[in-house]
Amino acid sequence: MTGGRPGLPRQPAAAIVAGRADTVAAQEIAAGPGQAAGEVTAAWRDPARPAAERVADLLGRMTLAEKLAQMSGIWLSEPGDSEGVAPSPGEHSAELPPFSELIRDGLGQLTRVFGTRPVRPAEGAAMLAGLQAQIRRSSRFGIPAIAHEECLTGFAAWTATAFPTPLAWGASFDPELVGQMAAAIGRSMRAAGVHQGLAPVLDVARDPRWGRVEETMGADPYLAGMLGTAYVRGLQSAGVIATLKHFAGYSGSRAGRNMAPVSVGRREFADVFLPPFEMAIREGGARAVMHSYCAVDGVPAAADHELLTGVLRGELGFDGVVVSDYYGVSFLQTLHGVAGSRAEAAGLALAAGVDVELPSVRCYREPLAGAVRSGLARPELVDRAAGRVLRQKIELGLLDPGAEPGPGGAAAAPADGSGTGATIDLDPPSHRALARQLAEESIVLLANGAAALPLGADQRLAVIGPLAADPLAYFGCYTFPRHVGHAHPGTSIGVPVTPVVEALRAELPGSRIEHARGCDVRGADRSGFAAAIACARAADTVIAVLGDEAGLFGRGSSGEGCDAADLRLPGIQAELLGELIRAGRPVVLVLITGRPYAIGPAASQLAAVVQAFFPGQEGGGAIAGVLSGRVVPSGKLPMEVPLLASTEQASYLGAPLAARSNVSSADPTPLFAFGHGLSYTSFDYADLSVRAATAGPGGQQAAPGLERAAATRIGTDGAAEISCTVRNAGRRAGAEVVQLYLHDPVAQVTRPARYLAGFARVALEPGQARRVTFWLHADRTAFHGRSGRRVVEAGLIQAAIGSSAADIRLQGEIELTGPERTAGPDRVLVTPVTITEPGG
C-alpha cells in the first residue's frame, strides 16, 4: 500500500451485497417483524421487562433453526480478501450457500464488513445498514445481527487512525491514556454501525520468539490487566462490546510457535495467564470472550468445559458471550483431531461453552442441528447459548421496537467529530493527537552512554536502514494496511504517515541529512551495503533504523504466524549494523519492532539505543521528537531485552533459580530489565514509608474491623501504605514511571524473585517533587498454593520501589500475620495509587 489518503480503489463490496441480495422473505408480517397484525407487543419486544423474561419469551417462540442462526456469523468476502488474514479461510468458507439462504432464519453476527477490503467509511456504513435491513426483512423475528470488527490498534478499517500496537501501550505504563484511546476507537466504530470489537489481547508474553508478542501488553500480568481493563472500559463506554482474547494460555506455546501445544503447570496458568482476564471481567465489565486456538495439556480451549465454563464463568464470574476464534470450532476436527465430524466438533464446542461460531458458520447450523436430533448435543445447551446471544442483543438495544442497527444505532452521535449522518471521519484530529501522545510516551531510551542524544541542531546525519523511509514501518499486523493491504496493492495506506528520515528533517532543519537503505528487513541482498557505509563515513552521526516488518502467516518477521527461530535481527540487519559501527562514526540504533531483539556485543559499541514497538501512524514523528530532544523519553520496557539471541526463556517472573547462579553455566541475565527506560532528565527517590493502613484511598474503609498494626505488621486480610517522594533532579520536564515490586522469600511454593505490584506515571517539572503512595492489600501477595487454592499466607514480604526491576532505589518489608486465608472471587485485584504534594 502507498502512503497518504488518495488513490481510492475500485470497490467490490457493494457488488457482493447486490449479487447476494434477496427479496423480502415470505414470513415478513405486515404489522412488523415478530408481530402479527393487531397483536399486542410481544414480551420480548418490551424494553420495560427484565432481560431474562424477554429472552425466555423469545426462545419459546423460536425453532431450533432460528436459535442456531443466532449462534453463528457470516463473513462476506471476495475471493482472496480474507486469504492470509486468518488460518485457512478458503477451505472453511468455499461451500457456503448464498447470503439469502444463510439469513432466512436470522443471523447472530456479521463479520468484518469494513475490515475485509478498502472501503470508504460512509459507503461501508451504508453497506452494513443495507445488510442489516436484509436480515431484518428476511427472517421471521426481524432481529439484526451484531456487527464485529478488529480493533486492536484502532478500528481496522481503511482511513481509520492507526494507533500504537499493544506492546507500545505496555511501554507507556499509562492506563488512563489507553482508556481514552479505546473510547475514541469505540466512538468511530459505533458511528459506523459496529457493535463489537475483537480486542483487547490479554495474553501475557512468555517467549519473545512468538510472533504475536506485538499484540500483547508485555510480560507482566498486572500491567496487562491494568491496561486491558482500561481498554475495556473505554471501548464499552462508547457502546461497543469488548472481546477479551485469547482465553487462555495461548502465549505459552512451545518454542514460541503460533498455535503450538501449551504445557504449563496449574500455578503458572492461574497466576500468570488468568489474572489479566479476571481484572478485565471483574474491574472492566467485559461482555465477550474469545477462546484461544491452543490446546493446554492436550485439551483444545474450544472443547474445554472446565476452562470455558468452570473457570471462566464459575471462578472468574463472566456472564457474557463466548465467541470462537476464527474457525476455532472447525479446528477441533481439522487441526486438533478431537472430533471426527463437524457435528462432533459443534457438540464439543457447545458443551464446553462456545456460544457463537465465527467468522462464518460451518458447524453450528445443520451439523449441530443433526447432533441435537441424534442426541449428540443437548437442546438445553442450544437454548443456553442462543439465550446469551439474545441477552447481549437486548443490552445493545437491538430487540427494542424501532431499533435501528445502522450507523450510530441507539448510541449518541460521537462528540469528537468522528462521524455524524453520512459523513464519517475515522481519523479526526483528536484521534491523531491521542495516537501521537501514546506513541511519544511509548518510546523507550534503552541506552545513552555517550550522551549522543538528543542530537545537536546542526549536524551531518546519515539515516540508514530499511525502515528509515518506509511509511509502513510503524504498523503492527492488526493495523488495516498490514492486515488487509497486501491483498490490495496500489491502494493508499489511508492515513498520513511521516517516515523517520522526513520527520528528522522537519525536527532539525539546520542539519544535513542523507539517507541510504542498506538492505531489506528480511532479505539477504548486500548490494546496498557499500552506499550505506559511504553515507555513514561522510556523517557526524549515524542513525541506524532497523527492525521488523509486520505481517501474518509468514508475510512478515513479526505478527500472527510470523514466529522467530531465535532473537537475532531479521535478515542481514545485524551485519549492516556491524558495518556501520566499523565505519567509525557514532551510531544511534533505532529499533522499530514487534518484539525485543538481542543486539548482543554491538550494544557496548553503540552511542545510544532507542526502542519503539510499532508506534502507529504518528510513530515517525514521535521517534524523531525523541532523537531531537523535543520529546523527553519516558517509556519503560514491558518485557526484558535479552543479551543473547539464544532460545533461553527470559528470567522475569522466574523464581530465584531462574536467574544467574552457580548451578548452571547459562546466564539468562537480560541486557535491559523489565521496566527499564532512561530519560533526558534524572529522578531522585527518597523518604520511604511503609506502614499499616486503616483506610483505603480517599478514606474508604479498607476492611471490616481492620485495626492499626504496629510498624509494618498487617494481617493477612489487611493493607499497607507504601510511600516515597520522587523528585525531578534535572533541567528538563519529564515523566517517571514509579514501580512497586514484591518478593515472597519463604513460601510454600517457589515464588518470583520480583513481580510488579503497582506503578504510577508521574509528570514532573524541573525541581518538582511528588509523594507517591501505593495502597497494597494483602490480597496482592496471593498465589496458588500446594492445595490448588489461591492463598494469602503469613510471613515476610519484601517491598521495593524503583525505576525498573533492576534499578531499585528503596526497599522495605511487610510482615503478614494471622492465619492462612483463601483469596476468593471478592479479593482485591488492584493496587490504587495516590499522587500528592510532599507533606500533603
Side-chain angles (χ1 to χ4, degrees), residues 208-211 213 548 557-558 562-564 567 593-597 613:
R209 294 173 297 171
W210 191 49
V213 161
D548 272 321
S557 57
S558 174
C562 298
D563 310 313
L567 296 176
T593 68
R595 61 164 65 87
Y597 281 101
F613 295 112

Side-chain angles (χ1 to χ4, degrees), residues 548-596:
D548 272 321
E549 176 184 2
L552 290 94
F553 306 108
R555 294 197 310 274
S557 57
S558 174
E560 183 176 1
C562 298
D563 310 313
D566 57 42
L567 296 176
R568 291 174 292 187
L569 282 167
I572 54 173
Q573 293 180 88
E575 296 178 36
L576 175 63
L577 179 62
E579 293 293 336
L580 295 177
I581 291 171
R582 285 188 284 274
R585 300 293 186 268
V587 177
V588 174
L589 174 60
V590 175
L591 292 165
I592 307 175
T593 68
R595 61 164 65 87

Side-chain angles (χ1 to χ4, degrees), residues 484-808:
V484 177
H486 72 96
H488 302 272
T491 303
S492 72
I493 293 173
V495 291
V497 181
T498 304
V500 167
V501 64
E502 296 302 327
L504 272 174
R505 287 181 175 130
E507 292 275 355
L508 302 170
S511 293
R512 176 183 155 193
I513 300 176
E514 301 294 335
H515 164 62
R517 182 175 176 83
C519 65
D520 294 333
V521 170
R522 295 187 291 156
D525 184 0
R526 293 170 174 76
S527 61
F529 274 30
I533 295 166
C535 184
R537 286 174 175 163
D540 299 318
T541 301
V542 177
I543 311 296
V545 188
L546 310 177
D548 272 321
E549 176 184 2
L552 290 94
F553 306 108
R555 294 197 310 274
S557 57
S558 174
E560 183 176 1
C562 298
D563 310 313
D566 57 42
L567 296 176
R568 291 174 292 187
L569 282 167
I572 54 173
Q573 293 180 88
E575 296 178 36
L576 175 63
L577 179 62
E579 293 293 336
L580 295 177
I581 291 171
R582 285 188 284 274
R585 300 293 186 268
V587 177
V588 174
L589 174 60
V590 175
L591 292 165
I592 307 175
T593 68
R595 61 164 65 87
Y597 281 101
I599 52 178
S604 62
Q605 301 172 286
L606 294 167
V609 183
V610 173
Q611 173 69 63
F613 295 112
F614 289 142
Q617 72 184 61
E618 297 291 328
I623 293 168
V626 167
L627 294 176
S628 71
R630 175 181 58 81
V631 175
V632 176
S634 60
K636 300 286 187 175
L637 284 175
M639 61 187 304
E640 297 172 335
V641 171
L643 175 63
L644 302 175
S646 65
T647 58
E648 296 172 18
Q649 284 274 14
S651 60
Y652 180 66
L653 291 186
L657 280 177
R660 182 178 182 179
S661 71
N662 59 8
V663 300
S664 172
S665 60
D667 183 3
T669 304
L671 179 62
F672 299 109
F674 177 90
H676 170 78
L678 305 178
S679 176
Y680 294 150
T681 187
S682 59
F683 301 95
D684 291 339
Y685 289 67
D687 304 326
L688 176 70
S689 170
V690 182
R691 65 186 182 89
T694 56
Q700 295 179 350
Q701 189 67 28
L706 185 66
E707 298 180 357
R708 178 177 293 277
T712 57
R713 292 167 60 89
I714 65 173
T716 52
D717 60 351
E721 289 182 4
I722 306 172
S723 305
C724 72
T725 299
V726 181
R727 183 181 303 276
N728 184 342
R731 298 181 179 180
R732 296 286 305 273
E736 171 71 330
V737 178
V738 181
Q739 301 161 48
L740 171 66
Y741 293 93
L742 301 181
H743 173 53
D744 189 348
V746 179
Q748 57 188 267
V749 298
T750 58
R751 300 289 290 133
R754 190 161 286 156
Y755 64 94
L756 186 69
F759 60 90
R761 187 179 180 89
V762 186
L764 296 168
E765 295 295 322
Q768 187 179 31
R770 286 289 182 269
R771 188 74 177 165
V772 179
T773 300
F774 298 95
W775 190 82
L776 181 81
H777 194 277
D779 287 354
R780 296 287 293 113
T781 71
F783 60 90
H784 276 74
R786 293 182 183 179
S787 66
R789 296 179 293 107
R790 182 181 278 107
V791 298
V792 179
E793 66 175 1
L796 193 68
I797 298 293
Q798 296 173 347
I801 293 178
S803 189
S804 81
D807 183 8
I808 298 302

Side-chain angles (χ1 to χ4, degrees), residues 447-474:
N448 196 22
L453 297 178
L455 296 169
D458 186 11
Q459 290 192 57
R460 294 176 300 170
L461 299 177
V463 184
I464 296 171
L467 300 181
D470 185 356
L472 286 172
Y474 320 103

